[in-house]
Amino acid sequence: MNQFTFEGKQKTVLGLFILLGLVCMGLTYLTDDELHTRFWSNFLHNTVFFTGIAFVSTFVMAAFTSAYAGWHTIFRRIWEAYSLFLIVGLGLLMVLIGGVWLHYHHLYHWTDVTALQPYVNDAGVYSDVIKEGFKENPNYDVVLGGKSSFLNKYWYTFGTIITVGVWYLFAKRLRSLSLSEDENGDTSYSHHKKIKFVSAVFLPIAAFSSAAMIWQWVMSLDAHWYSTMFAWYATASWFVAALALTILMIIYLKSKGYLEELTGEHIHDLGKYMFAFSVFWTYLWFSQYMLIWYANNGEETVYFHTRMRQYPVLFYGNLIMNFALPFLILMRNETKRKFGTVGFTAALVFFAHWFDFFQMIKPSARINAEHAMHAHHSAGGHDHEAGGHAVDAGHQFLMGFDFPGFLDIGTFLGFAALFVFFAFSRMAQASLIPKNDPYLGESLHHHV
Amino acid sequence: MSAVVSPIREPLIEGGKSYHQITEDLVGPTEKVPGFSWILCMAISLGLFTLGIVSIFWTIFFGIGTWDLNRTIGWGWDITNFVWWIGIGHAGTLISAILLLFRQKWRTGVNRAAEAMTIFAVMCAGLFPVIHMGRVWLAFFIFPYPNTRGPLWVNFNSPLLWDVFAISTYFTVSLLFWYTGLVPDFATVRDRASGIRKKIYSFLSFGWTGSAKHWQRWESLSLVLAGLATPLVLSVHTIVSFDFATSVIPGWHTTIFPPYFVAGAIFSGFAMVLTLMIITRKALNLEEYITLQHVESMNKVILATGSIVGVAYLTELFISWYSGYIYEQFAFYNRAAGIYWWSYFGMMFCNVISPQFFWSKKLRRNITFTFFMSIFINIGMWFERFVIIATTLARDYLPSSWSYYTPTWVEMGIYIGTFGLFFVLYLLFSRVAPVVAVAEVKSILKTAGDQYVGANATHTHHDRQERATHIND
Amino acid sequence: MKKQNKEVLYGLYNDEEILLDAIKVANKDHLDIMDVYTPFPVHGLDPLLGLEESRLHIAGFVYGALGTLTAFGFMTWVFTRDWPIIFGGKPYFSAPAFIPITFELTVLFSAIGMVVSFYTVCGLGPGTENPTLDDRITDDKFCIAFDTAAYSNDQLSKLKDFFKQTGAEEVNTKMI
């Protein structure tokens, strides 16, 4: 049984979860602060997380194809379905972009146009040079001003649209070649050669562009802070999340009687990947943390200082769930072959990497919001020191920032249901196991 | 073995080899008297090595002052060469460990030589920090042992001490891994030898019999050692990068250093493996075991890691601007347009631009081109370390201390000497042990031999029909 | 596995697939195989011979854990109890700085421990000379060996038939 049917019951359940997500988002919006920070940061968080999974799925397919890997062919269609979600991701990102243009949200400090140029006149016109009638801009933030040729709404808008658009075109091309191989493939394997070509071209494009996207979407939340590692770190997080979601999907499909030829051997390999890349993620995490800790530069340590002191649950929870637990559970070979254990770990790790992005986004969004509200309430009272990041005193526990609350989890479930809904609908379009792929035989008879 | 092999996989063993033929071809070179070219190479290598020994004695006798290091530039060719050799020493473990875990079969053709190369490269690398200490006879101070100085312990918080642990661990584990792989092959040599050779190889082969239980444990050991060596190989260059990145020197203190150093190390390591293997396969007639397919796969790794390094260079460059930190910005301006601009361009050209030629399949499978590229890349990677070390130190925070550095003949002599050491060891190895893993090649014969897979396969396998039915349904 | 004064009846096969088929026959006939010798690790052999999975990796974990504790514990002791010194403004107990050495020693302990265990358990080591049945076993022959002491003369001829029937190239006896 290799033709997936998207049943009415599944549609209903997923639809209900999407509804739950919408209700939670609505409730968040209503119960939120005046800038709707929780709502918007949830939106950004889930959009980035699921778009990233779609991106990584495309990337993994391309990388595996280029490396002559064969064993994954049997579940390649799942990654194809995931990769197509990029178009939905682009739609969601457009909402965020719209928010930047229309000032619906204040997620990013760099959207504060009053801070970018050193001089201002009474009419509120800003200038880079001193002119007649201009005086010093009390709000001027020299760091933001220096970055404004990258951190601005034009780059944010067109960079995102072009990059995600290009990713989607690649995902779509890979998909259509794969579908056409089902229909017209023969032993000359001309389709596979084309897939290989498209994959090879995609890899460098993806490597260069994904970093820029992560800087804009996530790292620029801390507009004063920077770390060269950050993009690779976030990509590793996406990667593990995508693997976990793949494992969960496979286990679900098997429970429904699909993918009969998929055995413990495949799950073993996926488990190994999840284990290895959890360790790799930890390696990147540690390298970034250790170097910043060791050098002890104020403008760098502020990032971890805030998280360790004010968000200890996020900081340590992230490490425990993303390193300690998968490491200990998956270390033994036997556990990597058991569907139950691997499935449980996959669910844990999937949530944990969502939690990792929560940890990256929420504290920064909250600081930006407090900052924006502060500026809003006391006109012109824009404090300079460390860009207003030093809000150490009087940190109060706030649901949705210090810890994911019910509304945030509900929103997450809604987005996840949307992702799965979309993936199911794409999976139903073709056979679950690709036909005529030159590596199919290897994948169907995969033995370690 | 009845594994299914994709019809588009190319064979990794050519010439329709039988098991016996593999033994003949791979063990054969250890049984012959070396030819003239080997003796010539050995003589040259010994000459270079002698120069190195003289230079080292010169350094120790007259002191570190015979180098051109000064108060501003405290690290010069010595540390550059150290990092360069350590980087080269990464390919072996990568090939044997990571590719074993990823089940890339082409590793069996090159892993043995690559591991040997790793061990020799690490030996060359280890030399530099030791002589750089100046008073080499006190080198044992780096080990934490109860002593009469307090007992004053070593500084466990220092990345330089982490290096001591990382490199000695790496050397030990690589050696164990390599030797464990060699034991069954030494047994093969033993069983073909007679007289004194038989005695020597009996000793070296540890009494290997080929018992099923031994093979099972041997495989289990290899797998776990591979699992350990994989994070280990990452950790070694990571810790080398910590030597720089834990500081607050602009251009050194950047969080991307660990993975970027590792990628660079793999990049240069593969280049060195290619340089050696292209010569070895020709000299020992191993073209049927180290095929164009192997060369192409390695060139792909070079292309991938070269591009990763390129992404890292550009990331650094961009973030130095983005940081808004003038010293960071200056550090990169200085690299590209400062006194050592030529080394920056050498690095960019050799490491980022030149590997892009490997997008062409034709060039990936061109032996001559690959050979020159592999040397090119190692020059580029040397420049990278020189850029990071000398360029950065020459222009520090205090303009009154700005300085310039050129190596003296002693420093160059030591560097050339390490080449001598490296090639002496490699030449010896190529005569003493099979340079291609005999047992491992045999184990992939039925899934990678050209009589079983590929366009010219003659053996029809029962799985072939099975696969055909899958394609048709 | 020094000289055991055992008389061994063994057959040599040319291919590992013939060997595997032969072992299947032997299992069906309830023949007690002493050992199987091959030039390279043959997949699918272990389950046929009923070999239990090697526990070497468990030993590796224990050695590794020992390394972790040794390294981290020692550095902690040195810097918090024995001789506390502040380096670069870091606290005495600066865990992030202890991680690299802890990791290295974990790997070192695990690797050395496992390799030593491997050679000890297999009875191999520098200078060990185990008797071998045939020089070609490390080249291209696959060998099934029976300990003759366990068989009567009648049964021995049955074993020889078994070798003939399963396609052995050569059948010999040897004292080891």
Side-chain angles (χ1 to χ4, degrees):
Chain A
M1 193 168 72
N2 289 329
Q3 181 56 52
F4 178 75
T5 38
F6 194 1
E7 294 158 21
K9 199 180 137 206
Q10 289 163 330
K11 283 183 187 159
T12 319
V13 172
L14 288 172
L16 284 174
F17 271 106
I18 295 173
L19 196 68
L20 170 76
L22 287 172
V23 169
C24 285
M25 284 166 81
L27 284 175
T28 316
Y29 195 84
L30 294 175
T31 57
D32 216 350
D33 62 42
E34 60 194 290
L35 297 173
H36 305 291
T37 315
R38 188 173 176 187
F39 169 83
W40 281 107
S41 56
N42 276 345
F43 196 91
L44 172 75
H45 173 204
N46 288 293
T47 301
V48 167
F49 183 65
F50 286 101
T51 309
I53 289 176
F55 162 71
V56 164
S57 303
T58 324
F59 188 82
V60 178
M61 266 195 301
F64 274 33
T65 309
S66 303
Y68 294 146
W71 64 277
H72 70 288
T73 310
I74 189 168
F75 57 85
R76 184 191 156 96
R77 282 280 144 86
I78 296 177
W79 284 342
E80 284 174 14
Y82 286 1
S83 70
L84 295 169
F85 185 79
L86 278 169
I87 192 69
V88 184
L90 184 59
L92 295 168
L93 284 161
M94 291 304 292
V95 177
L96 281 164
I97 290 168
V100 170
W101 283 83
L102 301 169
H103 299 286
Y104 281 166
H105 62 71
H106 294 261
L107 288 172
Y108 299 106
H109 189 186
W110 49 263
T111 52
D112 180 3
V113 287
T114 64
L116 304 180
Q117 286 170 305
Y119 304 105
V120 64
N121 70 5
D122 292 335
V125 179
Y126 294 90
S127 164
D128 276 329
V129 285
I130 186 94
K131 283 190 272 192
E132 186 64 34
F134 278 69
K135 57 179 174 27
E136 286 212 0
N137 175 6
N139 264 352
Y140 179 54
D141 184 319
V142 65
V143 178
L144 287 189
K147 294 177 181 187
S148 61
S149 47
F150 178 67
L151 295 185
N152 56 53
K153 54 188 179 184
Y154 301 101
W155 261 106
Y156 191 83
T157 307
F158 297 109
T160 300
I161 294 173
I162 292 169
T163 308
V164 182
V166 167
W167 293 348
Y168 177 66
L169 291 180
F170 274 99
K172 225 180 125 185
R173 181 84 186 123
L174 287 174
R175 167 76 166 184
S176 68
L177 280 170
S178 176
L179 291 188
S180 151
E181 192 177 44
D182 270 14
E183 298 296 316
N184 314 313
D186 54 32
T187 45
S188 72
Y189 301 115
S190 57
H191 290 85
H192 183 76
K193 281 180 196 140
K194 280 185 205 149
I195 291 176
K196 230 165 75 178
F197 177 77
V198 175
S199 301
V201 174
F202 179 66
L203 288 177
I205 293 176
F208 279 99
S209 58
S210 61
M213 288 301 100
I214 293 164
W215 293 332
Q216 286 191 335
W217 296 340
V218 186
M219 194 167 91
S220 78
L221 284 164
D222 299 87
H224 288 84
W225 184 78
Y226 59 90
S227 165
T228 39
M229 174 79 94
F230 193 81
W232 293 11
Y233 165 73
T235 310
S237 202
W238 276 343
F239 191 91
V240 186
L243 280 174
L245 195 58
T246 310
I247 293 173
L248 290 174
M249 179 64 88
I250 287 174
I251 289 175
Y252 175 74
L253 290 176
K254 283 222 52 120
S255 77
K256 290 295 231 175
Y258 299 106
L259 297 178
E260 273 166 53
E261 290 95 338
L262 195 144
T263 61
E265 306 280 345
H266 297 89
I267 285 294
H268 188 185
D269 271 6
L270 280 165
K272 271 195 237 173
Y273 264 88
M274 194 162 69
F275 175 76
F277 279 89
S278 289
V279 175
F280 182 71
W281 173 91
T282 314
Y283 160 68
L284 295 182
W285 182 93
F286 175 73
S287 299
Q288 178 170 269
Y289 174 79
M290 207 282 291
L291 288 175
I292 287 174
W293 171 83
Y294 204 108
N296 205 9
N297 275 344
E299 66 263 37
E300 290 182 338
T301 48
V302 62
Y303 184 83
F304 288 116
H305 191 269
T306 311
R307 279 160 180 76
M308 284 175 82
R309 296 293 163 87
Q310 298 176 0
Y311 301 90
V313 181
L314 299 188
F315 183 83
Y316 295 104
N318 185 24
L319 272 185
I320 292 168
M321 288 194 295
N322 279 320
F323 170 62
L325 292 178
F327 181 79
L328 293 174
I329 298 173
L330 292 177
M331 189 154 47
R332 280 176 65 86
N333 248 351
E334 292 88 287
T335 52
K336 282 185 248 149
R337 302 182 79 88
K338 286 182 194 139
F339 280 74
T341 333
V342 174
F344 167 76
T345 321
L348 170 86
V349 163
F350 181 65
F351 174 75
H353 281 282
W354 180 84
F355 191 81
D356 183 22
F357 273 90
F358 188 92
Q359 171 272 137
M360 287 183 229
I361 287 170
K362 289 290 185 155
S364 313
R366 184 176 179 188
I367 291 167
N368 289 342
E370 282 169 3
H371 184 76
M373 280 188 271
H374 181 68
H376 194 245
H377 290 304
S378 58
H382 192 114
D383 51 336
H384 273 237
E385 37 80 41
H389 274 220
V391 280
D392 229 306
H395 180 83
Q396 306 235 317
F397 183 85
L398 195 57
M399 204 45 131
F401 292 93
D402 285 270
F403 196 73
F406 285 118
L407 293 176
D408 313 281
I409 299 283
T411 310
F412 167 52
L413 291 175
F415 271 86
L418 176 67
F419 188 90
V420 174
F421 192 101
F422 187 85
F424 275 172
S425 74
R426 290 301 173 272
M427 274 152 52
Q429 285 174 349
S431 160
L432 269 184
I433 299 180
K435 295 170 193 158
N436 302 324
D437 188 292
Y439 291 114
L440 184 62
E442 282 187 15
S443 189
L444 293 175
H445 298 90
H446 183 52
H447 292 292
V448 180
Chain B
M1 281 283 75
S2 54
V4 178
V5 179
S6 165
I8 60 164
R9 281 203 198 280
E10 291 190 49
L12 295 167
I13 306 166
E14 289 169 0
K17 301 294 179 193
S18 66
Y19 292 133
H20 181 65
Q21 194 59 41
I22 293 175
T23 314
E24 287 289 332
D25 291 346
L26 299 182
V27 178
T30 65
E31 293 163 345
K32 291 193 200 97
V33 179
F36 174 73
S37 55
W38 186 89
I39 294 171
L40 185 72
C41 289
M42 192 63 168
I44 296 171
S45 304
L46 280 171
L48 298 180
F49 186 36
T50 313
L51 174 65
I53 291 175
V54 169
S55 308
I56 289 172
F57 269 103
W58 197 277
T59 304
I60 294 169
F61 193 80
F62 293 105
I64 281 286
T66 54
W67 297 0
D68 194 37
L69 299 178
N70 52 49
R71 281 178 65 182
T72 307
I73 306 176
W75 284 355
W77 269 42
D78 48 353
I79 304 299
T80 305
N81 297 336
F82 158 70
V83 181
W84 187 75
W85 274 119
I86 277 287
I88 286 173
H90 272 56
T93 313
L94 183 102
I95 289 176
S96 38
I98 299 183
L99 298 186
L100 176 72
L101 295 181
F102 282 151
R103 263 185 257 109
Q104 295 278 352
K105 288 197 193 104
W106 57 270
R107 78 187 169 81
T108 51
V110 289
N111 62 351
R112 171 68 44 75
E115 285 168 37
M117 189 205 79
T118 290
I119 291 161
F120 307 148
V122 173
M123 287 163 80
C124 293
L127 207 62
F128 287 99
V130 173
I131 50 177
H132 186 224
M133 289 175 190
R135 285 181 266 180
V136 266
W137 51 93
L138 298 180
F140 61 90
F141 277 19
I142 57 175
F143 294 110
Y145 61 96
N147 55 59
T148 51
R149 302 187 294 276
L152 187 60
W153 298 103
V154 286
N155 180 4
F156 293 110
N157 288 354
S158 163
L160 300 179
L161 188 79
W162 304 346
D163 252 348
V164 173
F165 279 87
I167 288 163
S168 45
T169 302
Y170 185 55
F171 180 74
T172 313
V173 175
S174 299
L175 195 65
L176 294 174
F177 196 19
W178 180 62
Y179 201 85
T180 302
L182 263 172
V183 163
D185 289 358
F186 277 147
T188 307
V189 183
R190 172 197 70 197
D191 289 346
R192 291 163 55 90
S194 56
I196 181 83
R197 284 187 76 243
K198 194 170 189 88
K199 284 219 156 58
I200 293 170
Y201 283 104
S202 284
F203 183 81
L204 292 175
S205 61
F206 287 9
W208 182 263
T209 56
S211 158
K213 187 71 195 172
H214 291 180
W215 276 122
Q216 187 206 29
R217 292 195 187 115
W218 182 88
E219 281 206 295
S220 170
L221 178 70
S222 303
L223 213 61
V224 185
L225 281 183
L228 286 172
T230 305
L232 178 66
V233 72
L234 260 71
S235 82
V236 174
H237 229 58
T238 295
I239 289 174
V240 171
S241 83
F242 285 168
D243 292 347
F244 305 98
T246 49
S247 70
V248 288
I249 309 284
W252 283 8
H253 176 62
T254 177
T255 49
I256 208 171
F257 254 34
Y260 139 60
F261 263 53
V262 172
I266 296 166
F267 181 56
S268 68
F270 268 82
M272 188 56 112
V273 172
L274 274 171
T275 313
L276 288 179
M277 292 324 280
I278 288 174
I279 301 172
T280 310
R281 76 197 277 275
K282 188 92 193 147
L284 302 179
N285 293 320
L286 297 174
E287 279 105 335
E288 289 163 331
Y289 298 94
I290 302 159
T291 62
L292 285 181
Q293 189 61 26
H294 290 86
V295 173
E296 192 188 354
S297 298
M298 287 196 271
N299 280 335
K300 280 188 178 174
V301 176
I302 284 187
L303 175 60
T305 46
S307 301
I308 294 174
V309 169
V311 173
Y313 289 161
L314 296 184
T315 301
E316 275 191 317
L317 210 58
F318 175 80
I319 297 283
S320 71
W321 168 79
Y322 179 87
S323 69
Y325 180 51
I326 52 166
Y327 300 102
E328 194 76 30
Q329 291 168 347
F330 173 77
F332 281 84
Y333 168 79
N334 178 47
R335 280 185 187 176
I339 42 169
Y340 287 115
W341 63 271
W342 42 271
S343 62
Y344 188 77
F345 280 92
M347 159 186 116
M348 276 293 186
F349 183 75
C350 293
N351 290 351
V352 184
I353 303 192
S354 69
Q356 306 306 325
F357 284 114
F358 281 142
W359 283 103
S360 150
K361 188 178 174 102
K362 224 171 162 176
L363 291 176
R364 281 201 302 264
R365 298 178 81 94
N366 182 324
I367 296 290
T368 321
F369 181 76
T370 304
F371 184 72
F372 284 107
M373 279 295 298
S374 69
I375 291 172
F376 231 63
I377 287 165
N378 267 317
I379 294 172
M381 285 309 290
W382 191 89
F383 273 131
E384 182 200 292
R385 279 61 179 256
F386 188 75
V387 165
I388 291 172
I389 294 167
T391 312
T392 308
L393 288 176
R395 293 285 178 272
D396 62 2
Y397 289 109
L398 206 61
S400 62
S401 302
W402 286 4
S403 179
Y404 195 77
Y405 160 85
T406 38
T408 63
W409 71 268
V410 184
E411 293 173 86
M412 294 187 203
I414 297 172
Y415 183 44
I416 294 168
T418 52
F419 278 104
L421 173 64
F422 182 78
F423 285 111
V424 165
L425 291 169
Y426 187 79
L427 286 165
L428 280 177
F429 156 74
S430 71
R431 283 294 152 190
V432 171
V435 287
V436 174
V438 184
E440 287 187 70
V441 167
K442 284 177 189 165
S443 73
I444 66 158
L445 179 67
K446 296 231 167 138
T447 51
D450 66 350
Q451 69 269 48
Y452 297 100
V453 298
N456 305 320
T458 50
H459 286 57
T460 35
H461 217 259
H462 60 98
D463 285 316
R464 285 184 178 273
Q465 283 112 40
E466 218 177 299
R467 182 173 60 246
T469 55
H470 273 294
I471 289 167
N472 292 336
D473 68 21
Chain C
M1 224 177 30
K2 293 275 167 308
K3 199 129 179 120
Q4 300 159 358
N5 287 325
K6 238 191 236 176
E7 193 183 19
V8 174
L9 175 72
Y10 66 95
L12 297 177
Y13 296 84
N14 275 338
D15 195 277
E16 76 272 20
E17 282 168 53
I18 308 174
L19 174 89
L20 290 175
D21 290 340
I23 296 172
K24 280 176 204 156
V25 174
N27 283 347
K28 211 171 69 202
D29 295 352
H30 302 290
L31 300 178
D32 185 17
I33 296 174
M34 183 186 98
D35 208 343
V36 170
Y37 302 94
T38 56
F40 58 85
V42 173
H43 282 248
L45 191 59
D46 303 352
L48 283 182
L49 291 177
L51 296 181
E52 278 176 41
E53 207 203 333
S54 164
R55 288 187 302 270
L56 210 53
H57 57 273
I58 299 169
F61 176 77
V62 175
Y63 297 128
L66 202 66
T68 313
L69 293 177
T70 309
F72 205 83
F74 183 70
M75 284 186 280
T76 308
W77 173 74
V78 164
F79 277 173
T80 59
R81 301 260 167 260
D82 190 52
W83 193 287
I85 297 179
I86 290 183
F87 293 101
K90 305 284 182 291
Y92 292 134
F93 178 71
S94 43
F98 296 167
I99 300 289
I101 291 182
T102 305
F103 171 78
E104 298 301 332
L105 286 192
T106 305
V107 172
L108 188 68
F109 274 50
S110 177
I112 292 183
M114 270 177 48
V115 169
V116 170
S117 305
F118 168 73
Y119 287 116
T120 314
V121 173
C122 288
L124 303 172
T128 311
E129 285 187 40
N130 291 322
T132 50
L133 291 173
D134 194 294
D135 280 350
R136 289 165 298 166
I137 287 171
T138 53
D139 178 6
D140 64 344
K141 296 287 183 247
F142 302 80
C143 170
I144 297 178
F146 293 101
D147 185 358
T148 51
Y151 295 91
S152 67
N153 281 349
D154 250 19
Q155 287 167 314
L156 280 178
S157 67
K158 208 179 116 196
L159 287 180
K160 281 176 186 155
D161 285 345
F162 157 77
F163 279 128
K164 199 180 279 175
Q165 176 205 336
T166 52
E169 280 295 295
E170 281 177 37
V171 183
N172 290 314
T173 40
K174 188 173 178 181
M175 289 292 290
I176 60 167

